[in-house]
Amino acid sequence: DTEVTQTPKHLVMGMTNKKSLKCEQHMGHRAMYWYKQKAKKPPELMFVYSYEKLSINESVPSRFSPECPNSSLLNLHLHALQPEDSALYLCASSQETGVYTQYFGPGTRLTVL
Amino acid sequence: AQTVTQSQPEMSVQEAETVTLSCTYDTSENNYYLFWYKQPPSRQMILVIRQEAYKQQNATENRFSVNFQKAAKSFSLKISDSQLGDTAMYFCAFTYNNNDMRFGAGTRLTVKP
């Protein structure tokens, strides 16, 4: 089973709202990732968690706040977003960081009004 | 720095025919993985095929196969007996360390009936 799930599928929020994206995997993977993907562009790495600890933050603004409560769950907390943050947010997981295959979830389509 | 180049923004193929998507990359690393991911309109990133750099034999997965030329740093994807469900954006990706997965710009493939 190579399933990564993400909720919600779609999210519309105002610039003053606080919302969260959720990602879950039950493959026993110890590395999880958040990517941002704009239309017709490749995914861009935002955060990497390895063994539930943040290992990479690719200079992402503080209005995006990741959280890894346990090895199966990854959250992305959103606050005071801008319209240009509208995008597809993809979660992925892999056995570990290093040279392993990443498996992606279906994504959350975020629209910021 | 690692780079991945897909020089074909768009391609089309008739159903049941064969099509080849091109990808070149640049790296000084010796141990790495190469991937082809498919992203249909449903937007889920689906792993199509994976190639470990240390393996000389080209990877195959049913109708999908790669031509991996390590010295030339080339990694093309051949889709045989194309099906309508193959219509998608195809991303070539490279990693030597999952903290730094690099994607190409993508090739939009349309399979015509």
Side-chain angles (χ1 to χ4, degrees), chain A:
Chain A
D1 183 10
T2 56
E3 186 177 13
V4 177
T5 60
Q6 289 187 245
T7 55
K9 289 185 178 180
H10 301 274
L11 179 62
V12 179
M13 60 186 291
M15 290 188 285
T16 59
N17 293 157
K18 287 185 180 181
K19 297 286 185 183
S20 297
L21 309 185
K22 178 181 174 181
C23 173
E24 201 160 5
Q25 58 87 14
H26 295 287
M27 296 178 278
H29 289 174
R30 304 314 301 266
M32 297 185 77
Y33 312 82
W34 280 115
Y35 288 86
K36 174 182 178 180
Q37 187 180 23
K38 302 287 274 185
K40 299 183 181 181
K41 296 290 186 182
E44 298 175 1
L45 184 65
M46 300 174 72
F47 301 105
V48 178
Y49 271 85
S50 178
Y51 287 84
E52 301 157 48
K53 295 193 185 308
L54 182 64
S55 65
I56 294 287
N57 173 347
E58 291 285 350
S59 302
V60 178
S62 60
R63 57 185 184 268
F64 295 91
S65 175
E67 178 196 20
C68 190
N70 58 58
S71 60
S72 301
L73 188 57
L74 186 66
N75 297 321
L76 185 63
H77 302 298
L78 315 172
H79 173 54
L81 294 192
Q82 304 297 310
E84 59 264 30
D85 296 322
S86 298
L88 180 68
Y89 288 84
L90 293 165
C91 174
S93 72
S94 65
Q95 186 175 337
E96 294 190 7
T97 57
V99 192
Y100 293 97
T101 301
Q102 291 188 26
Y103 296 93
F104 286 81
T108 294
R109 174 76 64 193
L110 174 67
T111 302
V112 182
L113 301 176

Side-chain angles (χ1 to χ4, degrees), chain B residues 7-97:
Chain B
S7 58
Q8 305 151 314
E10 294 189 22
M11 294 191 71
S12 64
V13 63
Q14 291 296 131
E15 196 174 7
E17 294 189 347
T18 296
V19 65
T20 298
L21 309 184
S22 301
C23 173
T24 58
Y25 61 96
D26 189 24
T27 184
S28 57
E29 299 292 331
N30 197 44
N31 182 28
Y32 53 87
Y33 278 17
L34 293 160
F35 306 90
W36 280 97
Y37 284 95
K38 164 186 175 182
Q39 190 174 38
S42 66
R43 77 197 182 203
Q44 171 126 30
M45 291 279 282
I46 301 166
L47 177 68
V48 175
I49 200 164
R50 177 183 75 189
Q51 176 78 45
E52 292 92 333
Y54 64 86
K55 290 187 178 179
Q56 293 188 348
Q57 186 172 5
N58 289 328
T60 62
E61 286 289 344
N62 301 313
R63 298 182 294 108
F64 300 89
S65 61
V66 299
N67 183 3
F68 174 47
Q69 302 289 326
K70 190 172 183 180
K73 295 180 182 174
S74 170
F75 182 61
S76 61
L77 174 69
K78 185 171 83 170
I79 306 174
S80 304
D81 186 25
S82 297
Q83 300 177 359
L84 296 178
D86 295 333
T87 292
M89 181 73 94
Y90 286 80
F91 290 101
C92 178
F94 164 98
T95 187
Y96 73 98
N97 177 336

